[in-house]
C-alpha cells in the first residue's frame, strides 16, 4: 500500500507542472472543468465495459455531495484564493486537510482515535510544508478563510467516504462524484469566468494528462487507498504532493530551489513517519499504541481453557 501511496503522490505532484503550464493557455476554472470532464468520460467508459451498474439513489446522493465538496468547491476555493494569496501559502492551507480529517475521524470514525504522536506528526508535517513551499503569511482574511475551507471541504468529503460509502464500489463512486464536480465547474466557468482558451498540441497534452492520469486514474487510486487505510495515515502522506510539485517545477520548469526547502522536506517526512507509527516496537498490537487501561496478552497456563490437555490442544490446532 505504501508503494501505491507513493505513486499517487508522484502523479499528483507531477501534475502540478501541467496545471501551471495550463494556466497560461486556459482560464483556471475552465481548465479544471475540462480536466475532470475528461476524467469522468474515461471512467464512464471503464464502468460501461466492466458492466458496473448505475448507482442507487441512497448512494448517488452521497456521490453528488462528495463531488461538490472535493471536486467542485475544492478547486473553486483554490483558484479564487490564489487571486489574493501566494501559491505557497494557498498550498499549505489547502493541504492542512490531514489535520482536519484526523480531528473529524477522532469523533466520527470508530477506531481512529487521536493520539499525541499522531497530532504531533501532522503539525510537524504542515510546518515542514510551510517551509518547503516558501510560504509567506499575508492576504485578506476572506482569501485565507477560503483557502482553509478548501482543505476542510476535502477532509469532509473523505470523512463521508469512510463513514457513508465504506461498502460502495469505489470505481462507481469515483466516476459519479467526478461527473457531479465537472458539471459544477463548467457551469461556474460559463457564468462567472471570462477569458479565452488557446488550443494547440501542448494544451491538448495538458488536458489529456491531467484528465486521464491526474484525475481518472489518481482519484480511483485515492478512493481505493482511503477505503483500505486509516484516514489520518492515508491523508498525511499527501503532504508529499506539493513537495513533489516543487521538485518537478525545478526539474522541468527551471524554477529555483531554495536550500531551506530541504529542511521543509525533512520535516514533512518526519511528520509522515510519526503518524504512520515508525520506530515502534514490533510487540505492540496497535499502530498507535495500546489504549489506556489495556493489558498486553501474556502467554501462559492461565490462558489455557480449563480442562484442556496438551493432547486436546494439539488436536484442536490440526
Amino acid at each position: 500500500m505504501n508503494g501505491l501511496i507513493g505513486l499517487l503522490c508522484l502523479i499528483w505532484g507531477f501534475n502540478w507542472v501541467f496545471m501551471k503550464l495550463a494556466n497560461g493557455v486556459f482560464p483556471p476554472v475552465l481548465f479544471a472543468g475540462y480536466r475532470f470532464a475528461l476524467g469522468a468520460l474515461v471512467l464512464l467508459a471503464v464502468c460501461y465495459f466492466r458492466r458496473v451498474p448505475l448507482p442507487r439513489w441512497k448512494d448517488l446522493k452521497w456521490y453528488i455531495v462528495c463531488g461538490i465538496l472535493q471536486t467542485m468547491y475544492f478547486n473553486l476555493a483554490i483558484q479564487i484564493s490564489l487571486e489574493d494569496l501566494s501559491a505557497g501559502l494557498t498550498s499549505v492551507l489547502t493541504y492542512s486537510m490531514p489535520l482536519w480529517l484526523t480531528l473529524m475521524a477522532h469523533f466520527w470514525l470508530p477506531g481512529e482515535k487521536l493520539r499525541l504522536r499522531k497530532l504531533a506528526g501532522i503539525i510537524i508535517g504542515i510546518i515542514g510544508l510551510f517551509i518547503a513551499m516558501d510560504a509567506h503569511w499575508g492576504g485578506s482574511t476572506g482569501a485565507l478563510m477560503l483557502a482553509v475551507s478548501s482543505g476542510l471541504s476535502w477532509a469532509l468529503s473523505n470523512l463521508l467516504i469512510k463513514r457513508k460509502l465504506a461498502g460502495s464500489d469505489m470505481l462507481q463512486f469515483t466516476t459519479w462524484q467526478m461527473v457531479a464536480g465537472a458539471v459544477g465547474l463548467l457551469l461556474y466557468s460559463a457564468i462567472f469566468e471570462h477569458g479565452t482558451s488557446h488550443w494547440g498540441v501542448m494544451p491538448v497534452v495538458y488536458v489529456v494528462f491531467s484528465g486521464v492520469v491526474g484525475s481518472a486514474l489518481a482519484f480511483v487510486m485515492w478512493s481505493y487507498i482511503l477505503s483500505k487505510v486509516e484516514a489520518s495515515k492515508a491523508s498525511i502522506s499527501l503532504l508529499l504532493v506539493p513537495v513533489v510539485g516543487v521538485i518537478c517545477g525545478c526539474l522541468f520548469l527551471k524554477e529555483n530551489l531554495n536550500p531551506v526547502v530541504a529542511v521543509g522536506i525533512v520535516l514533512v517526512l518526519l511528520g509522515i513517519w510519526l503518524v504512520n507509527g515508525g520506530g515502534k516496537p514490533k510487540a505492540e498490537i496497535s499502530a498507535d499504541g495500546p489504549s489506556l487501561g489495556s493489558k498486553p496478552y501474556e502467554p501462559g497456563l492461565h490462558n489455557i481453557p480449563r480442562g484442556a490437555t496438551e493432547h486436546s490442544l494439539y488436536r484442536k490446532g490440526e
Side-chain angles (χ1 to χ4, degrees):
M1 191 61 68
N2 289 337
L4 190 63
I5 294 174
L7 177 60
L8 176 62
C9 291
L10 286 175
I11 290 173
W12 270 344
F14 186 64
N15 194 50
W16 279 39
V17 174
F18 288 91
M19 290 191 296
K20 287 182 180 180
L21 292 171
N23 281 341
V25 292
F26 295 108
V29 177
L30 180 60
F31 173 72
Y34 286 153
R35 166 192 172 185
F36 287 109
L38 178 59
L41 288 174
V42 170
L43 291 179
L44 284 171
V46 173
C47 286
Y48 174 79
F49 286 109
R50 294 193 62 178
R51 300 184 183 277
V52 176
L54 293 174
R56 298 168 296 179
W57 169 246
K58 70 174 186 177
D59 293 328
L60 182 60
K61 62 183 179 182
W62 293 114
Y63 295 175
I64 294 173
V65 170
C66 289
I68 292 172
L69 288 173
Q70 79 171 12
T71 302
M72 178 187 170
Y73 182 82
F74 176 75
N75 284 277
L76 281 178
I78 291 174
Q79 295 299 336
I80 295 173
S81 60
L82 278 172
E83 295 177 2
D84 196 45
L85 303 179
S86 67
L89 181 58
T90 302
S91 300
V92 172
L93 296 178
T94 296
Y95 278 85
S96 64
M97 182 273 288
L99 175 61
W100 310 124
L101 181 57
T102 301
L103 293 174
M104 293 175 186
H106 175 75
F107 295 102
W108 291 299
L109 292 180
E112 299 206 16
K113 296 300 181 183
L114 182 61
R115 301 291 203 274
L116 180 60
R117 180 191 183 106
K118 186 184 293 184
L119 181 61
I122 292 172
I123 293 174
I124 289 173
I126 292 175
I127 292 173
L129 183 61
F130 191 92
I131 296 172
M133 299 303 296
D134 193 24
H136 302 284
W137 196 263
S140 67
T141 302
L144 291 170
M145 295 301 295
L146 194 61
V148 170
S149 72
S150 68
L152 278 168
S153 69
W154 191 9
L156 181 57
S157 175
N158 290 329
L159 178 72
L160 291 175
I161 294 171
K162 296 285 284 186
R163 187 170 176 84
K164 296 292 186 181
L165 302 171
S168 300
D169 185 314
M170 286 296 102
L171 176 59
Q172 182 190 75
F173 159 73
T174 306
T175 301
W176 290 99
Q177 72 84 22
M178 197 169 292
V179 169
V183 169
L185 287 168
L186 291 173
L187 283 175
Y188 179 92
S189 178
I191 296 172
F192 299 106
E193 200 169 36
H194 304 287
T196 57
S197 300
H198 303 281
W199 288 98
V201 175
M202 290 311 298
V204 170
V205 172
Y206 306 154
V207 173
V208 170
F209 182 88
S210 295
V212 177
V213 181
S215 299
L217 175 61
F219 273 94
V220 169
M221 292 168 62
W222 172 242
S223 298
Y224 175 77
I225 291 167
L226 197 60
S227 69
K228 300 295 183 182
V229 180
E230 190 176 312
S232 58
K233 294 183 178 180
S235 61
I236 184 66
S237 301
L238 295 186
L239 292 181
L240 283 174
V241 172
V243 172
V244 173
V246 169
I247 295 173
C248 288
C250 296
L251 294 175
F252 299 100
L253 301 178
K254 307 302 181 183
E255 296 178 348
N256 294 324
L257 183 63
N258 191 316
V260 180
V261 172
V263 176
I265 293 174
V266 170
L267 289 176
V268 169
L269 293 175
L270 175 61
I272 294 172
W273 180 77
L274 286 171
V275 171
N276 284 283
K280 292 207 167 186
K282 293 182 180 179
E284 289 189 10
I285 297 173
S286 170
D288 290 309
S291 301
L292 292 177
S294 65
K295 294 181 180 180
Y297 174 81
E298 296 179 1
L301 293 178
H302 61 278
N303 289 309
I304 299 176
R306 182 176 296 178
T309 64
E310 181 181 355
H311 178 71
S312 66
L313 291 174
Y314 174 76
R315 295 291 300 175
K316 187 176 180 180
E318 288 183 334

